[in-house]
Amino acid sequence: LGRFVLIIWLFVVLILNSSYIASLTSILTVEQLSSPVKGIESLATGGDPIGFLKGSFAENYLTDELNIHRSRLVPLNSPEEYEKALQDG
């Protein structure tokens, strides 16, 4: 009977420990993923440049629907250009 209770307690402690570690990891990850852009409205009203895939519908959507001036739009052609633009800010 004692071994049975010990095995049950070990499983309970293992589950609680795993749950705690998962919650802590989630909290720390979410805090690092903060962004100044809170939504499409803040993107449209801000003054930062906006990158888009050249040849996609995004350019027309941003200019026609969201009234963003074309001077803020930066066409990007490849993943390397995306990476460079993100590194440059």
Side-chain angles (χ1 to χ4, degrees):
L1 181 63
R3 288 182 185 170
F4 181 71
V5 171
L6 179 65
I7 290 173
I8 299 270
W9 273 108
L10 286 175
F11 280 118
V12 169
V13 169
L14 178 68
I15 291 170
L16 288 174
N17 189 23
S18 299
S19 176
Y20 172 74
I21 291 173
S23 297
L24 182 63
T25 303
S26 174
I27 290 169
L28 294 175
T29 303
V30 169
E31 286 180 5
Q32 291 179 356
L33 295 177
S34 64
S35 172
V37 178
K38 300 300 180 198
I40 195 74
E41 293 83 15
S42 68
L43 185 66
T45 57
D48 295 329
I50 301 170
F52 68 94
L53 179 63
K54 188 173 184 179
S56 71
F57 73 95
E59 181 178 14
N60 291 334
Y61 177 75
L62 292 168
T63 56
D64 298 341
E65 299 293 325
L66 298 178
N67 299 320
I68 296 174
H69 197 268
R70 288 190 189 274
S71 64
R72 287 184 55 204
L73 302 181
V74 179
L76 301 169
N77 294 316
S78 67
E80 291 79 20
E81 287 185 16
Y82 278 93
E83 180 182 6
K84 184 176 182 326
L86 288 171
Q87 287 177 349
D88 293 344

